[in-house]
Every structure is written in C-alpha cells, then in structure tokens.
C-alpha cells in the first residue's frame, strides 16, 4: 500500500462513498466479508471475542485513516500487518 497511490485512493474513495450512505455502510461487501471471516475465526478460537461488525469497522477504519495519511503526509509510518493482526487475533 505504501508504494501504490492508486490503491490508497481507491480505499479512500470507496470508504467516502460508504460514509455518505451511512445506513448502508455495514451491509457493504467489504464489511460483510470481513465480519464473516471474524465470526469464523471466533468459532475456531483464533479471533478475539466481540461484535464482528464492530471489529470489522475498527479494522477498516484504521486502513482508511492510514490510506489518508499515506496519501497526504510525507514520511508517515505505514501500519504494519502485525499491528492490524493484533486488533483481531488472540495472542498465541
């Protein structure tokens, strides 16, 4: 994501479109698919407990904010895969 401006812009635009349709944001494929993965991980015991849609919202919120910062700020440190994983995965 750090070197792909098109990808960052796509994330930002798609999220902005979702935010404009506030009542539809959680029924978007982006949220539904991640929530589905989270629920499965919770059943298997690898993902933290909690509302899957809420956890999905936190995850995508961080990806969105990071995309904005990477696009508009010089020398912004990219959120790592490990940091994103810590949001959802239980400690081993």
């Amino acid at each position: 994501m750090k070197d792909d401006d098109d990808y960052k812009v796509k994330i930002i635009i798609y999220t902005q479109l979702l935010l404009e349709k506030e009542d539809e944001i959680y029924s978007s494929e982006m949220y539904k698919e991640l929530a589905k993965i989270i629920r499965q991980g919770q059943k298997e015991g690898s993902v933290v407990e909690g509302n899957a849609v809420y956890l999905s919202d936190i995850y995508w919120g961080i990806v969105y904010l990071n995309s904005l910062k990477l696009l508009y700020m010089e020398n912004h440190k990219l959120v790592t895969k490990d940091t994103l994983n810590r949001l959802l995965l239980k400690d081993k």
Side-chain angles (χ1 to χ4, degrees):
M1 189 162 82
K2 186 174 187 172
D3 298 323
D4 189 346
D5 283 346
D6 287 345
Y7 188 70
K8 289 178 272 198
V9 170
K10 287 175 186 176
I11 289 173
I12 293 166
I13 290 172
Y14 184 67
T15 304
Q16 284 300 130
L17 290 171
L18 288 176
L19 289 171
E20 289 176 13
K21 299 176 182 180
E22 186 177 335
D23 56 334
E24 298 175 24
I25 190 168
Y26 300 117
S27 62
S28 72
E29 289 302 312
M30 185 171 83
Y31 278 86
K32 287 189 334 188
E33 285 302 309
L34 184 54
K36 189 167 128 181
I37 292 167
I38 290 169
R39 283 187 204 98
Q40 183 61 39
Q42 288 171 332
K43 285 180 187 176
E44 295 170 1
S46 61
V47 174
V48 298
E49 294 302 316
N51 181 291
V53 174
Y54 176 71
L55 292 170
S56 178
D57 195 25
I58 292 170
Y59 183 92
W60 286 121
I62 290 172
V63 171
Y64 169 67
L65 181 58
N66 227 307
S67 296
L68 280 172
K69 286 182 175 182
L70 286 170
L71 195 60
Y72 293 109
M73 296 172 66
E74 289 185 34
N75 302 318
H76 173 67
K77 184 179 176 185
L78 179 66
V79 66
T80 65
K81 178 177 72 170
D82 290 338
T83 300
L84 283 174
N85 286 342
R86 287 183 64 209
L87 293 170
L88 301 178
L89 299 180
K90 288 183 176 179
D91 290 332
K92 295 181 181 179

